[in-house]
Amino acid sequence: MSDGVYDMPEEPRRTSRTSGGRPRALLPTIATLIVLLILFSVFTDVWTQRLWYRSVDLGSVFSTVLGTRVLLFVVIGLLMAAAVVANIIIAYRTRPRVALAPSPSPGFERYGDLLQQRGKIAIGVIATLMLVFGGSAASGEWKVFLAWRNRTPFGVTDKHFNKDIAFFVFDYPWLRVLLGFGYSIVLLSLVAAIITHYLYGGFRPSAKGQKASGAAQVQFSVLLGLLVLLKAFSYWLDRYGLTTSDSRLFTGISYTGDNAVLPSKEILAVIAVLCAGLFFANVVRRTWLLPGVGTVVLILSAILLGALWPAALQQLRVRPSEPVREAPYISKNIEATRQAYDLEGTQVINYPAKSTATPSDLAGDAEVLPGIRLIDPSVVGPTFEQLQQVRGFYSFPTDLDVDRYKIGDKVNDTVIAVREVQVDRLPAGQRNWNNDHTVYTHGYGVVAANGNQRAADGTPVWSEKDLPPTGQLGKYEPRIYFGEQSPDYSIVGGPKGGQPVELDTPEGTNGGDPTLNTYTGKGGVPVGSFFNRLLYATKFRDANILLSSRVNPESKILYDRSPRERVEKAAPWLTPDGDPYPAIVDGQVVWIVDGYTTSANYPYSEKVALDDSTRDTTTGRGTIAQQPSEEINYIRNSVKAVVNAYDGSVELYAWDESDPVLKTWMKAFPDTVKPRSDISPALMAHLRYPEDMFKVQRDLLAKYHVQDSTTWYQNSDLWRVPADPTAVSAGADSSAQIKQPPFYLSLRMPGEDVPRFSLTSVYVPNAERENLTAFMAVDAEATSPDYGKFRILRLPGNVQIPGPGQVFNKFQTDEGIRTALLPINQPTSGARAQFGNLLTLPLGGGLLYVQPVYSVRTSGPGSYPVLRYVLVSFGERVAFGSTLSEALTKVFNTNVSTGEPTPNQPTTPNQPTPNQTVKQALAEAQAAYAAAQAALQAGNLGEYQKQVARMKTAIDRAVAAGNAPTPSTPSPSGAPTNTPSTPSTPAPSTAAPSSPPSSPTG
């Protein structure tokens, strides 16, 4: 018998037959067919991906990604397969002639005999498994490899290791990937060598005396030495990983990390190198004593230096004076966090937040008031659908979008949505393959409403409506083939002059038969050939694509149609915003998607969970997507992506051209991202500050508005985003504390000359209190020179200013408002009041809250919200009206448009009713009584007498109020307090309006 594994003798092959005389070829045939089906499925997926990328003129993205994945698969897979197979062959060739000890089981000998008889097959199977295992894992790291291969310097040097930030963002992750594959290759090789030596008697732990043959010792020593050497490299890399490690206080190197963990990693790396040398020396000395001693020393050192030393330093030196020890490291974390999240230009302004406003205060802000958005995009989706749906197969999203459009001479905040087709809404009798995939292929038109207006019946005032579309937004291509609710796939197009079959509109311009259309856009994948039809029939598991006569030589298939999905595929290195929004630009309906470049390796910057930071009451609702569950500590809105709603084309524009991560990916995928200068003025007018990035930044600013390390450590100025009070009122779990979403709103910040389209939010203290502590806005107009500038209005800490939850509570408990809403909320009315978004904006030196209230029928088809009232609050005053102007006039006792006092209004519009005074006085008396009892128990007689006097005063005030006559003056909200059953404002009707709405109801 030859010692070569490839010279193993094989038994003669015999052709065996079954009892029926048929060859035993059934199982191999089935196996072959299964393999062929798997290969064809893989080929189908790869080839259809290629066709999709070619259809959007991004074939280079496909070829780059595929080429990189194949390269990594082959290189890493072959390395792993070669290493494992080489160690098996070495172990087999160096097997002893006589086993060191008998085999513990006869089965092991049979395995050895089988390996000798089927050596080539066994080696081939193992090599294939290693190739697939290693290659598959490596191909998944293509982003890390491409980022490292095309890395761009940040131009900012890390202060601890004196390395450019690019090393941590690009180099360090790739080195970690290589280290991981190194571990896998050596460990699998060691396992393969141990098994092979065991099978052939070269390694027997049960043997008396020598446990392993000399050859086995040599092979094990080399592999173990390599493993320990990799551990030394891991210790060395861990030093850089400390810059993004999470400590109890912050992300980055702490005092203990700098003075204990960092030096311990360096010492352990040196010890590991020496230990590896002892294993390599064992190749010559053939004794396990020195490697064993070295391993014990390494383990003890890891325990003493890596665990006990840092713990002792933290407990004995850091804890007693933690603010002093950690101060420089906290400062470094604050600086890096503000850099990584683009917060360095944040401006914090002390704002008095006055509770009263004079006519002169209001006069300066009079031009802002008409632009306050009253139409809530998260509420009026059903209104859009009922009044502008036209047919049941059209739909609008649950949450609409806010944009700006110039109508006449003014730019207005506009609530906008696209009318999309949903085949799931077709009647059952109309559901068939032809209708689903070749007739109902696209939506039609845009619907828009002025954000600050309502019709007399409470419905929106349309700036674009009906079918075919009419309005003030100009002419545009109305067909929507690519949208957020498009069918999974559609077959469109046809020969020139052929009969159209795609439904355009249910009726013509002047009524009559439906109008039909044939798609002529450049988007879509041709499926005229038999080969492509076969591919897509396989991809969608639908034989109709192959068999239907509707598929003609000019047909195209449209799929992967949502804007977010198309951007993810076109730029797989981007994280798209969760809420794409439509806009009419240069005669086309387009979807605008903000794209983010992110990293989790920016040194010293605080890590956040992307999904948690961006989650609020709108996340995951309707078409608003939730961000992936991953940690980041760097983000930039680097790209503005535009998806054409008609032809599906994807355009990527560089927005933050200074971003090194964007530059890196532009080198990896050249000519896929256009320069910012290519953005047309029409498109620029509709770009805005992105929501998800704002949510991440507002989460960070809740703590990182503080730049003093001592204050930061004490958490004495920590803020939080309040819970959305309207979500709780709508039936959400109050314990969930879902954050209030930010709001797009046109407002003028203090010191500015004109109102600007902004993205706004508020903060409350991190304690259990709900009073307001700050208001924040970022300039969201892309054309503004201050675009992206954060301004925080910091409110005085010695004044109690109500927050959103408290204001919402005031709205719900105010007698005038409760009386006005009583007819709506009565069970017999068949309706209920629905509160809209609670907006906050600076006005007249204070803060104004505005909230629309809708009436919606609770049962029956065709129900939709109708705007009935507008609630406002300023300081301690609340009021309501059927219009914003009416509500503001009541709350300020001033005509806000002229600044003149309103006649026949009380000078103290917030004067409480006698019942309210009695309740307040008795509550104060009860509190004084409790305080007096506590003072008496503590032996503080002076405080006891003070509280008793306070209690007597409160009781006297209650008695006086109870004896006073009931006034007939209006309450703060404008309803008489002496006639709660008869509101001064006409109760909203829950029936259909007497006059037809201003748009078709469908």
Side-chain angles (χ1 to χ4, degrees):
M1 181 188 302
S2 172
D3 288 340
V5 71
Y6 296 108
D7 299 326
M8 298 178 186
E10 298 184 1
E11 294 182 358
R13 297 181 180 179
R14 291 175 294 179
T15 304
S16 57
R17 295 179 176 270
T18 63
S19 57
R22 291 174 299 170
R24 284 193 303 181
L26 182 60
L27 290 178
T29 301
I30 294 175
T32 302
L33 289 175
I34 292 174
V35 170
L36 289 176
L37 287 174
I38 293 174
L39 291 177
F40 182 71
S41 178
V42 172
F43 171 79
T44 297
D45 181 64
V46 172
W47 199 256
T48 54
Q49 290 280 7
R50 174 180 176 270
L51 294 175
W52 186 93
Y53 277 99
R54 289 182 62 185
S55 73
V56 292
D57 296 328
L58 289 172
S60 61
V61 175
F62 172 81
S63 59
T64 299
V65 173
L66 180 63
T68 305
R69 292 176 70 104
V70 170
L71 175 67
L72 293 174
F73 183 96
V74 172
V75 173
I76 302 297
L78 285 179
L79 278 175
M80 184 171 288
V84 172
V85 168
N87 277 277
I88 292 175
I89 294 175
I90 290 171
Y92 178 79
R93 286 178 176 273
T94 57
R95 68 192 185 282
R97 295 183 178 276
V98 179
L100 297 179
S103 172
S105 171
F108 283 96
E109 294 180 356
R110 286 198 294 270
Y111 286 132
D113 293 340
L114 182 63
L115 182 60
Q116 283 184 321
Q117 295 170 6
R118 298 287 187 265
K120 293 181 179 179
I121 296 176
I123 291 296
V125 170
I126 293 172
T128 301
L129 289 176
M130 292 300 101
L131 174 66
V132 173
F133 172 74
S136 299
S139 66
E141 302 292 343
W142 66 269
K143 290 183 184 179
V144 182
F145 172 76
L146 277 180
W148 167 77
R149 180 69 180 81
N150 299 278
R151 58 194 179 278
T152 301
F154 274 65
V156 179
T157 303
D158 156 64
K159 296 178 181 179
H160 207 100
F161 296 100
N162 199 32
K163 288 184 174 292
D164 190 274
I165 301 299
F167 170 82
F168 301 91
V169 174
F170 303 123
D171 295 11
Y172 176 76
W174 177 241
L175 292 175
R176 277 291 179 192
V177 168
L178 292 180
L179 179 65
F181 283 118
Y183 271 129
S184 299
I185 291 172
V186 175
L187 279 172
L188 288 172
S189 298
L190 180 61
V191 170
I194 290 173
I195 293 175
T196 306
H197 278 295
Y198 191 86
L199 285 175
Y200 292 103
F203 175 58
R204 287 286 192 268
S206 60
K208 296 180 180 180
Q210 189 177 5
K211 309 292 184 182
S213 66
Q217 289 189 51
V218 170
Q219 191 170 3
F220 294 166
S221 297
V222 171
L223 292 173
L224 289 170
L226 290 173
L227 203 59
V228 177
L229 201 59
L230 288 172
K231 185 61 179 175
F233 183 54
S234 177
Y235 280 132
W236 192 256
L237 276 184
D238 287 345
R239 297 161 56 251
Y240 304 113
L242 291 175
T243 60
T244 53
S245 62
D246 289 323
S247 66
R248 184 178 61 87
L249 292 175
F250 52 84
T251 299
I253 298 178
S254 62
Y255 181 90
T256 300
D258 192 12
N259 293 277
V261 179
L262 184 60
S264 70
K265 295 291 184 183
E266 295 172 347
I267 295 171
L268 288 172
V270 174
I271 294 174
V273 170
L274 295 176
C275 185
L278 293 177
F279 276 103
F280 293 140
N282 198 42
V283 172
V284 180
R285 292 183 58 86
R286 306 287 178 89
T287 174
W288 291 101
L289 178 60
L290 291 179
V293 170
T295 303
V296 171
V297 170
L298 180 60
I299 294 173
L300 291 176
S301 299
I303 296 173
L304 293 173
L305 298 176
L308 296 182
W309 180 19
L313 184 68
Q314 179 72 22
Q315 192 66 33
L316 301 177
R317 189 173 179 81
V318 177
R319 285 290 174 87
S321 55
E322 192 171 50
V324 177
R325 301 292 182 196
E326 299 290 12
Y329 303 97
I330 291 174
S331 297
K332 190 180 295 185
N333 170 261
I334 293 173
E335 180 184 358
T337 300
R338 291 172 67 90
Q339 288 175 352
Y341 291 96
D342 199 18
L343 302 174
E344 291 178 290
T346 301
Q347 182 181 4
V348 180
I349 306 166
N350 291 325
Y351 189 65
K354 297 186 295 184
S355 59
T356 59
T358 65
S360 60
D361 293 331
L362 298 173
D365 288 322
E367 62 178 306
V368 178
L369 299 176
I372 295 177
R373 179 174 53 77
L374 301 178
I375 303 300
D376 185 352
S378 63
V379 171
V380 298
T383 306
F384 272 52
E385 191 151 293
Q386 291 300 321
L387 300 183
Q388 287 293 316
Q389 185 182 30
V390 180
R391 289 292 186 271
F393 50 80
Y394 287 126
S395 71
F396 295 93
T398 306
D399 288 68
L400 311 184
D401 292 290
V402 179
D403 199 356
R404 295 96 63 223
Y405 283 88
K406 188 172 184 179
I407 300 176
D409 295 331
K410 289 187 176 182
V411 177
N412 293 340
D413 290 1
T414 302
V415 177
I416 188 169
V418 168
R419 186 186 289 106
E420 296 195 55
V421 67
Q422 270 197 312
V423 294
D424 293 341
R425 295 189 173 191
L426 288 171
Q430 291 181 250
R431 294 298 304 276
N432 56 64
W433 186 87
N434 285 300
N435 280 346
D436 286 1
H437 297 290
T438 66
V439 176
Y440 296 94
T441 58
H442 59 281
Y444 204 90
V446 164
V447 176
N450 296 332
N452 61 341
Q453 291 179 293
R454 49 160 275 181
D457 60 354
T459 57
V461 175
W462 308 110
S463 54
E464 190 75 17
K465 62 179 182 177
D466 295 350
L467 197 66
T470 60
Q472 301 166 292
L473 303 188
K475 293 184 178 180
Y476 59 92
E477 169 56 63
R479 298 172 181 87
I480 311 297
Y481 280 92
F482 295 85
E484 295 176 305
Q485 303 182 75
S486 298
D488 54 349
Y489 77 88
S490 295
I491 307 292
V492 298
K496 189 173 183 179
Q499 181 69 30
V501 296
E502 302 166 38
L503 181 70
D504 226 9
T505 59
E507 295 179 356
T509 306
N510 299 314
D513 295 333
T515 60
L516 303 177
N517 174 66
T518 298
Y519 176 77
T520 58
K522 64 178 182 179
V525 178
V527 286
S529 68
F530 175 82
F531 179 67
N532 282 6
R533 291 168 70 174
L534 175 63
L535 288 178
Y536 282 98
T538 304
K539 178 180 178 66
F540 291 105
R541 294 176 174 83
D542 193 339
N544 289 297
I545 298 175
L546 192 63
L547 303 175
S548 174
S549 60
R550 284 285 177 90
V551 185
N552 57 74
E554 302 299 323
S555 290
K556 292 183 176 181
I557 185 168
L558 310 180
Y559 63 100
D560 292 343
R561 301 166 75 173
S562 76
R564 196 170 187 270
E565 186 178 14
R566 293 181 79 79
V567 172
E568 281 182 310
K569 293 187 68 172
W573 41 274
L574 277 179
T575 300
D577 190 89
D579 186 21
Y581 61 98
I584 299 175
V585 177
D586 294 323
Q588 297 287 325
V589 178
V590 300
W591 295 94
I592 300 175
V593 187
D594 287 284
Y596 309 120
T597 46
T598 62
S599 175
N601 294 288
Y602 196 98
Y604 318 112
S605 174
E606 193 70 14
K607 286 184 179 179
V608 298
L610 185 59
D611 56 335
D612 287 340
S613 289
T614 57
R615 184 181 295 117
D616 58 33
T617 51
T618 63
T619 305
R621 190 170 66 190
T623 57
I624 301 178
Q626 182 173 327
Q627 290 293 352
S629 178
E630 62 182 16
E631 283 194 331
I632 64 168
N633 67 354
Y634 174 91
I635 187 170
R636 288 291 186 274
N637 177 210
S638 55
V639 169
K640 299 288 188 181
V642 178
V643 178
N644 191 293
Y646 179 70
D647 62 25
S649 58
V650 181
E651 303 288 348
L652 305 174
Y653 296 97
W655 185 247
D656 188 348
E657 294 181 308
S658 63
D659 177 25
V661 182
L662 173 62
K663 293 178 181 178
T664 294
W665 290 115
M666 289 177 68
K667 287 194 288 185
F669 298 97
D671 302 324
T672 58
V673 180
K674 297 181 178 181
R676 180 170 176 162
S677 57
D678 284 3
I679 299 177
S680 68
L683 175 59
M684 185 71 77
H686 294 282
L687 300 182
R688 68 188 192 189
Y689 201 84
E691 283 189 79
D692 282 345
M693 183 168 174
F694 178 84
K695 294 174 187 178
V696 172
Q697 290 171 314
R698 75 170 176 176
D699 257 19
L700 268 299
L701 282 172
K703 188 169 187 176
Y704 285 89
H705 67 278
V706 177
Q707 299 187 57
D708 176 69
S709 61
T710 302
T711 307
W712 189 96
Y713 174 83
Q714 294 171 347
N715 282 335
S716 58
D717 196 19
L718 191 61
W719 303 339
R720 64 179 170 86
V721 179
D724 188 353
T726 60
V728 176
S729 73
D733 182 7
S734 60
S735 63
Q737 290 293 303
I738 307 175
K739 289 179 288 190
Q740 186 182 40
F743 300 116
Y744 286 106
L745 188 65
S746 289
L747 56 86
R748 181 170 62 188
M749 294 291 283
E752 292 186 344
D753 296 330
V754 294
R756 294 196 185 280
F757 187 67
S758 304
L759 191 53
T760 66
S761 187
V762 296
Y763 291 111
V764 296
N766 195 46
E768 294 301 321
R769 297 177 298 153
E770 292 294 330
N771 55 292
L772 200 66
T773 191
F775 171 85
M776 180 175 72
V778 63
D779 192 333
E781 285 191 28
T783 55
S784 169
D786 289 332
Y787 170 85
K789 183 176 182 178
F790 282 83
R791 294 180 176 89
I792 298 178
L793 303 184
R794 184 191 183 96
L795 310 183
N798 58 350
V799 180
Q800 182 78 8
I801 301 169
Q806 294 170 331
V807 170
F808 187 68
N809 183 68
K810 288 166 63 176
F811 285 156
Q812 290 195 310
T813 57
D814 181 82
E815 289 297 329
I817 295 175
R818 287 170 59 87
T819 301
L821 297 182
L822 187 61
I824 302 176
N825 286 324
Q826 284 182 347
T828 56
S829 70
R832 63 178 176 85
Q834 182 174 353
F835 290 84
N837 44 205
L838 182 54
L839 305 176
T840 311
L841 69 157
L843 184 79
L847 286 168
L848 176 71
Y849 287 94
V850 179
Q851 184 170 36
V853 179
Y854 296 82
S855 171
V856 57
R857 197 167 72 246
T858 56
S859 61
S863 174
Y864 59 88
V866 173
L867 181 60
R868 289 303 184 192
Y869 295 109
V870 180
L871 316 182
V872 297
S873 173
F874 189 90
E876 293 299 323
R877 304 178 180 183
V878 297
F880 75 97
S882 58
T883 65
L884 176 62
S885 178
E886 180 185 343
L888 292 173
T889 298
K890 290 178 181 179
V891 82
F892 289 119
N893 193 25
T894 300
N895 189 321
V896 292
S897 61
T898 64
E900 296 297 329
T902 304
N904 301 323
Q905 288 290 327
T907 58
T908 56
N910 281 312
Q911 180 181 356
T913 65
N915 286 339
Q916 291 172 331
T917 302
V918 170
K919 291 178 182 178
Q920 293 171 358
L922 291 178
E924 184 178 342
Q926 185 176 6
Y929 174 77
Q933 293 299 312
L936 184 62
Q937 292 179 2
N940 189 343
L941 297 180
E943 180 66 19
Y944 172 77
Q945 293 176 350
K946 178 181 175 181
Q947 294 299 334
V948 168
R950 177 185 165 205
M951 179 177 64
K952 183 179 183 304
T953 302
I955 292 175
D956 291 343
R957 191 166 71 250
V959 172
N963 294 331
T966 304
S968 59
T969 55
S971 72
S973 56
T977 59
N978 61 336
T979 56
S981 61
T982 310
S984 61
T985 303
S989 171
T990 56
S994 56
S995 58
S998 58
S999 55
T1001 61

